Structures are given as C-alpha cells and as structure tokens.
Amino acid sequence: MKEIKMVDLQSQYQKIKPEVDRRIMEILDSTAFINGPYVHKFQKNLESYLGVKHVIPCGNGTDALQVAMMALDLKPGDEVITSTFTFIATAEVIALLGLTPVLVDVDPETYNIDPEAVRRAITPNTKAIVPVHLFGQCAPMDELMKIAQEHNLYVIEDNAQAIGSEYQCFDGTTRKGGTIGHIGCTSFFPSKNLGAYGDGGAIFTNDDKFAEQLRIVVNHGMKVRYYHDYVGVNSRLDSIQAAILDVKLAHLDEYAASRRKAADYYDQAFANHPNLKTPKRFEKSTHVFHQYTLTIKDINREELQKFLNSHGIPMMIYYPVPLHLQSAYQDPRYKSGDFPVSEQLAASVISLPMHTELDEEQLEFITSKVLEFVNQ
Ligand SMILES: *Cc1c(COP(=O)(O)O)cnc(C)c1O
C-alpha cells in the first residue's frame, strides 16, 4: 500500500509533471517572473472558470482578505462579523487593520456560520460579514446576502477552502463559491484544493469599482506608477506559481470528484455509527472536501490519534481552539461558554486524510482502523 498522507502532493505532481516542468522551464527561459503573460493567462482562465468578471491575483490568502477590507475602506472601529470556528487568518487581518472582530457561532451540522447568530450580532457599527466556506462547502449565502442587503453591509467570502464549489442561489442561478458576495478571497497554499508550489492567493469580484480599488491596493496604492493615492501593500502572485496553477486549474473539477469519492467512502463506512457523526452536506452547495472532518462522541480523541498514527494513518484536528479562546485574541467581550457549538466542535472534530490520490485500499485501511478503535 502507498504511504498514507493527509495530503499527497507528490503522487498528484507525478501525474502532471511533464506539463508543469515544461511550463516552469519556459518561464525560466523568459525571465518574466512577476506580472508577465503567465499571470495574466491564469487570471483570465480563472475568471472564466469561476464565471466572475475580475480576478485579482495576490501573494496569499491572508493578503487577499486584508486587501479586500482595505479596498472597501473599512476603518478602525468598524465591526466585521465572522465565525469563531475557523482558521485564524480571518480574525488576524481584522485585528491588524484595527477593525473590531465580532465573533458568532456556527451550525453544528455544516460547521459554517449561523445566519441567525449574524443577525443578532449586528450593531450600528457593523460594516461587513466574512463567511468562511469551511472545509469545502459554502455557507448559507442566500440568508447572508439578504441580511447584508437589509443592513447595508459588505459580504467578503473567505473561499480559501472551497474553490470550485457551486451554490444554488434562491433566484435559480448556480454560482461558484467566492463569487456571490461583494468580494471573494482565496488561497493557493500548496495543500488547498487549487494549490501552487509556493504561496499564492486571489481576490474575486463582479464589481468594476471594487476591482479597480483592489488592483490599486495590491500594488502599493498606486494607479499611475510612482503616484500613490492610497496606503497600499505589495502582494503579487509570481509567474511560476501562476503557470503551475494554470495546469492544475484544468484538473480542478476532476480533483473535486476524487475528493468527493473518498468522502463518499468515509460516509458509507461510518454511516449511522453511534460514536461518529459524518459531515452534513448542505443541500444548496456542492462540497469539494478540502477536509473530511467529522465529530466523535464518547471516544478519547488523543488515544484515537495515537492509535491511527501507530498504523501510519495521519489524523489532524481542525481546529482545536475557537478564535475567542485563543490567547492572542482574548477580549473582555468574550468568555468560555459563549459559543457552545464551536466549543463543542473544537473538542470533538477529527479530520482524516483527504486528497486527490487516495485509493480504495488506503480508504479501506483507514476506515477499518478507525472502526477498530471506536468499536473496541
Ligand atoms: C488557508 C486559509 C487562509 C489563508 O491562506 P494563506 O494563503 O495561507 O494566507 C485563510 N482562510 C482560510 C479559511 C484558510 O483555510
């Protein structure tokens, strides 16, 4: 059996190696390392894949979120609502910009932000909502867009984990995750569903004005070279990463299908188990399974992890501590017990190996070892 990894980028690379290597060599020969035709080509291909008017490439997913908030001219004191059960990047940029993070709880079944909790958290200072499409499926965007419209708020989608997912909007249209709100952000970190071989990110929008502002902010706040109208940042995607991403973009739907197949296998193996609760698939969104994350009940999580590791099976905990309980984000507004769903999830989630190269033999081994421990 092939070695089991959380993410197997090596096996994936072997299948696209000739094409990737050829493109990298081409860039080395051209020396167009930054902002050349390769970045432009990938940008155009991603725009057409996503069905979005503008893609603005940038340095990474965290930058994408920061640039989005800067381009919307959010100011210190403005409140930004996001979920407490997520990766830190979202809250980090809110804090760095001097904005006020307002945390809310999530849905226990989908792990995504709870729109009713968002509604309750709105104050006259609220300016934006940042739903994170956690683990690969979209947050309830219809409800969130409705709330945003009623209260005149921006919606910035953190689509770092759900690129390629599709959402059935109430108006009957199907849209790609990250293209429903005012601005969408993504990451091309190597382990993401569309991963580079280094850092990368992108920002999406259908709005020409926002696009213009986003392009100014990522480029040192300048529209005309060496004339700086705004305080900006330097955030770029390099040509080698863009070329690799362009090769992988052509496989993205097939990659999502492989992930879904692995998830189906897990779902079936663990169905109706009293100690295991498989992740719910939200009927309005396709799931691209950035992670296969389930919850356990009456099982010692550390012991399970040790047992699986001893059999060569990696297992991760995404995420062990919700944002409001992180030391760096201590805030008198929040205390332990305030977000019971997130706290319960943080204590009971496990993530199993999930990538495009899992084969049936590996899946059989992983599920049988999980069940062996759980049933003992
Ligand atoms: C990975 C990730 C980010 C940050 O992306 P980087 O490219 O690592 O900066 C932001 N939000 C979420 C939900 C992520 O999973």
Side-chain angles (χ1 to χ4, degrees), residues 60-63 65 86-87 89-90 132 158 160-161 187-189 192 199-200 319:
N60 58 65
T62 310
D63 277 4
L65 290 162
T86 181
F87 180 60
T90 328
V132 181
D158 183 342
Q161 301 188 359
S187 163
F188 302 128
F189 185 76
K192 303 282 156 125
D199 272 313
Y319 296 94

mmCIF file of all heavy atoms in Angstrom, residues 60-63 65 86-87 89-90 132 158 160-161 187-189 192 199-200 319, ligand 1:
data_model
loop_
_atom_site.group_PDB
_atom_site.id
_atom_site.type_symbol
_atom_site.label_atom_id
_atom_site.label_comp_id
_atom_site.label_asym_id
_atom_site.label_seq_id
_atom_site.Cartn_x
_atom_site.Cartn_y
_atom_site.Cartn_z
ATOM 1 N N ASN A 60 -1.018 35.735 -1.179
ATOM 2 C CA ASN A 60 -1.526 34.602 -0.397
ATOM 3 C C ASN A 60 -2.960 34.900 0.040
ATOM 4 O O ASN A 60 -3.469 36.007 -0.198
ATOM 5 C CB ASN A 60 -0.618 34.326 0.818
ATOM 6 C CG ASN A 60 -0.485 35.532 1.722
ATOM 7 O OD1 ASN A 60 -1.459 35.974 2.329
ATOM 8 N ND2 ASN A 60 0.702 36.106 1.792
ATOM 9 N N GLY A 61 -3.579 33.942 0.693
ATOM 10 C CA GLY A 61 -4.984 34.089 1.079
ATOM 11 C C GLY A 61 -5.204 35.106 2.193
ATOM 12 O O GLY A 61 -6.247 35.760 2.244
ATOM 13 N N THR A 62 -4.223 35.215 3.070
ATOM 14 C CA THR A 62 -4.350 36.186 4.162
ATOM 15 C C THR A 62 -4.295 37.605 3.594
ATOM 16 O O THR A 62 -5.095 38.471 3.970
ATOM 17 C CB THR A 62 -3.222 35.967 5.202
ATOM 18 O OG1 THR A 62 -3.194 34.583 5.555
ATOM 19 C CG2 THR A 62 -3.442 36.802 6.446
ATOM 20 N N ASP A 63 -3.354 37.836 2.672
ATOM 21 C CA ASP A 63 -3.300 39.129 1.979
ATOM 22 C C ASP A 63 -4.625 39.420 1.280
ATOM 23 O O ASP A 63 -5.108 40.561 1.288
ATOM 24 C CB ASP A 63 -2.217 39.120 0.890
ATOM 25 C CG ASP A 63 -0.826 39.411 1.445
ATOM 26 O OD1 ASP A 63 -0.693 39.537 2.670
ATOM 27 O OD2 ASP A 63 0.116 39.503 0.627
ATOM 28 N N LEU A 65 -7.607 38.641 2.035
ATOM 29 C CA LEU A 65 -8.601 39.140 2.995
ATOM 30 C C LEU A 65 -8.275 40.566 3.436
ATOM 31 O O LEU A 65 -9.157 41.423 3.520
ATOM 32 C CB LEU A 65 -8.646 38.225 4.227
ATOM 33 C CG LEU A 65 -9.234 36.829 4.001
ATOM 34 C CD1 LEU A 65 -8.838 35.884 5.128
ATOM 35 C CD2 LEU A 65 -10.761 36.918 3.895
ATOM 36 N N THR A 86 -12.876 28.726 12.946
ATOM 37 C CA THR A 86 -12.234 28.837 11.647
ATOM 38 C C THR A 86 -10.736 28.964 11.818
ATOM 39 O O THR A 86 -10.223 28.997 12.943
ATOM 40 C CB THR A 86 -12.789 30.057 10.861
ATOM 41 O OG1 THR A 86 -12.155 30.132 9.581
ATOM 42 C CG2 THR A 86 -12.541 31.360 11.587
ATOM 43 N N PHE A 87 -10.054 29.071 10.680
ATOM 44 C CA PHE A 87 -8.619 29.333 10.669
ATOM 45 C C PHE A 87 -8.412 30.796 11.062
ATOM 46 O O PHE A 87 -9.243 31.648 10.767
ATOM 47 C CB PHE A 87 -8.066 29.052 9.265
ATOM 48 C CG PHE A 87 -6.599 29.299 9.137
ATOM 49 C CD1 PHE A 87 -5.685 28.608 9.918
ATOM 50 C CD2 PHE A 87 -6.110 30.228 8.232
ATOM 51 C CE1 PHE A 87 -4.323 28.840 9.801
ATOM 52 C CE2 PHE A 87 -4.755 30.466 8.100
ATOM 53 C CZ PHE A 87 -3.859 29.769 8.898
ATOM 54 N N ALA A 89 -6.659 33.329 10.057
ATOM 55 C CA ALA A 89 -6.380 34.433 9.120
ATOM 56 C C ALA A 89 -7.471 35.504 9.100
ATOM 57 O O ALA A 89 -7.173 36.702 9.060
ATOM 58 C CB ALA A 89 -6.174 33.877 7.709
ATOM 59 N N THR A 90 -8.716 35.064 9.131
ATOM 60 C CA THR A 90 -9.828 35.996 9.026
ATOM 61 C C THR A 90 -9.795 37.037 10.147
ATOM 62 O O THR A 90 -9.841 38.235 9.898
ATOM 63 C CB THR A 90 -11.159 35.202 9.092
ATOM 64 O OG1 THR A 90 -10.953 33.916 8.508
ATOM 65 C CG2 THR A 90 -12.264 35.918 8.396
ATOM 66 N N VAL A 132 -16.851 32.115 6.120
ATOM 67 C CA VAL A 132 -15.776 31.220 5.674
ATOM 68 C C VAL A 132 -16.452 29.955 5.156
ATOM 69 O O VAL A 132 -17.255 29.357 5.874
ATOM 70 C CB VAL A 132 -14.842 30.859 6.850
ATOM 71 C CG1 VAL A 132 -13.719 29.953 6.386
ATOM 72 C CG2 VAL A 132 -14.299 32.113 7.508
ATOM 73 N N ASP A 158 -14.655 34.167 2.436
ATOM 74 C CA ASP A 158 -13.351 33.511 2.553
ATOM 75 C C ASP A 158 -13.503 32.134 1.913
ATOM 76 O O ASP A 158 -14.011 31.192 2.520
ATOM 77 C CB ASP A 158 -12.928 33.404 4.024
ATOM 78 C CG ASP A 158 -11.540 32.779 4.165
ATOM 79 O OD1 ASP A 158 -11.071 32.142 3.193
ATOM 80 O OD2 ASP A 158 -10.938 32.912 5.246
ATOM 81 N N ALA A 160 -11.067 30.208 0.742
ATOM 82 C CA ALA A 160 -9.768 29.524 0.690
ATOM 83 C C ALA A 160 -9.912 28.005 0.675
ATOM 84 O O ALA A 160 -9.058 27.301 0.156
ATOM 85 C CB ALA A 160 -8.903 29.951 1.873
ATOM 86 N N GLN A 161 -11.019 27.496 1.247
ATOM 87 C CA GLN A 161 -11.170 26.038 1.340
ATOM 88 C C GLN A 161 -12.207 25.486 0.370
ATOM 89 O O GLN A 161 -12.455 24.285 0.370
ATOM 90 C CB GLN A 161 -11.542 25.654 2.782
ATOM 91 C CG GLN A 161 -10.486 26.105 3.791
ATOM 92 C CD GLN A 161 -10.711 25.572 5.189
ATOM 93 O OE1 GLN A 161 -11.675 24.856 5.452
ATOM 94 N NE2 GLN A 161 -9.814 25.917 6.108
ATOM 95 N N SER A 187 -6.985 31.236 -1.339
ATOM 96 C CA SER A 187 -5.575 30.948 -1.097
ATOM 97 C C SER A 187 -5.133 29.844 -2.037
ATOM 98 O O SER A 187 -5.889 28.903 -2.291
ATOM 99 C CB SER A 187 -5.409 30.468 0.344
ATOM 100 O OG SER A 187 -4.158 29.811 0.509
ATOM 101 N N PHE A 188 -3.901 29.944 -2.532
ATOM 102 C CA PHE A 188 -3.314 28.866 -3.333
ATOM 103 C C PHE A 188 -2.187 28.178 -2.572
ATOM 104 O O PHE A 188 -1.241 27.671 -3.170
ATOM 105 C CB PHE A 188 -2.802 29.413 -4.679
ATOM 106 C CG PHE A 188 -3.844 30.096 -5.509
ATOM 107 C CD1 PHE A 188 -3.632 31.381 -6.007
ATOM 108 C CD2 PHE A 188 -5.045 29.463 -5.811
ATOM 109 C CE1 PHE A 188 -4.585 32.021 -6.787
ATOM 110 C CE2 PHE A 188 -6.013 30.095 -6.589
ATOM 111 C CZ PHE A 188 -5.785 31.374 -7.076
ATOM 112 N N PHE A 189 -2.247 28.214 -1.255
ATOM 113 C CA PHE A 189 -1.298 27.467 -0.428
ATOM 114 C C PHE A 189 -1.256 26.025 -0.968
ATOM 115 O O PHE A 189 -2.278 25.501 -1.388
ATOM 116 C CB PHE A 189 -1.782 27.506 1.035
ATOM 117 C CG PHE A 189 -0.828 26.881 2.008
ATOM 118 C CD1 PHE A 189 0.326 27.541 2.387
ATOM 119 C CD2 PHE A 189 -1.083 25.625 2.538
ATOM 120 C CE1 PHE A 189 1.213 26.948 3.282
ATOM 121 C CE2 PHE A 189 -0.201 25.029 3.436
ATOM 122 C CZ PHE A 189 0.956 25.699 3.806
ATOM 123 N N LYS A 192 -4.107 23.512 -0.439
ATOM 124 C CA LYS A 192 -5.505 23.877 -0.754
ATOM 125 C C LYS A 192 -5.958 23.117 -2.006
ATOM 126 O O LYS A 192 -5.137 22.573 -2.741
ATOM 127 C CB LYS A 192 -5.627 25.386 -0.980
ATOM 128 C CG LYS A 192 -5.154 26.218 0.210
ATOM 129 C CD LYS A 192 -6.177 26.273 1.337
ATOM 130 C CE LYS A 192 -5.492 26.575 2.633
ATOM 131 N NZ LYS A 192 -5.932 27.687 3.409
ATOM 132 N N ASP A 199 3.557 30.056 -2.238
ATOM 133 C CA ASP A 199 2.410 30.850 -1.800
ATOM 134 C C ASP A 199 1.698 31.506 -2.969
ATOM 135 O O ASP A 199 2.286 31.778 -4.010
ATOM 136 C CB ASP A 199 2.878 31.943 -0.838
ATOM 137 C CG ASP A 199 2.915 31.460 0.606
ATOM 138 O OD1 ASP A 199 1.917 30.827 1.038
ATOM 139 O OD2 ASP A 199 3.915 31.706 1.296
ATOM 140 N N GLY A 200 0.413 31.779 -2.763
ATOM 141 C CA GLY A 200 -0.369 32.492 -3.769
ATOM 142 C C GLY A 200 -1.769 32.735 -3.246
ATOM 143 O O GLY A 200 -2.205 32.088 -2.286
ATOM 144 N N TYR A 319 -10.491 22.709 14.055
ATOM 145 C CA TYR A 319 -9.439 23.413 14.725
ATOM 146 C C TYR A 319 -9.614 23.184 16.214
ATOM 147 O O TYR A 319 -10.743 23.164 16.691
ATOM 148 C CB TYR A 319 -9.553 24.906 14.386
ATOM 149 C CG TYR A 319 -9.319 25.130 12.889
ATOM 150 C CD1 TYR A 319 -10.404 25.171 12.018
ATOM 151 C CD2 TYR A 319 -8.036 25.261 12.387
ATOM 152 C CE1 TYR A 319 -10.197 25.355 10.641
ATOM 153 C CE2 TYR A 319 -7.834 25.447 11.006
ATOM 154 C CZ TYR A 319 -8.915 25.483 10.151
ATOM 155 O OH TYR A 319 -8.719 25.640 8.820
HETATM 156 C C1 LIG B 1 -5.570 28.819 4.200
HETATM 157 C C2 LIG B 1 -6.597 29.751 4.658
HETATM 158 C C3 LIG B 1 -6.391 31.133 4.672
HETATM 159 C C4 LIG B 1 -5.051 31.779 4.445
HETATM 160 O O1 LIG B 1 -4.415 31.492 3.284
HETATM 161 P P1 LIG B 1 -2.817 31.711 3.175
HETATM 162 O O2 LIG B 1 -2.577 31.588 1.727
HETATM 163 O O3 LIG B 1 -2.182 30.619 3.967
HETATM 164 O O4 LIG B 1 -2.505 33.062 3.690
HETATM 165 C C5 LIG B 1 -7.446 31.947 5.028
HETATM 166 N N1 LIG B 1 -8.640 31.453 5.374
HETATM 167 C C6 LIG B 1 -8.870 30.123 5.399
HETATM 168 C C7 LIG B 1 -10.222 29.633 5.784
HETATM 169 C C8 LIG B 1 -7.861 29.227 5.063
HETATM 170 O O5 LIG B 1 -8.112 27.913 5.103
#
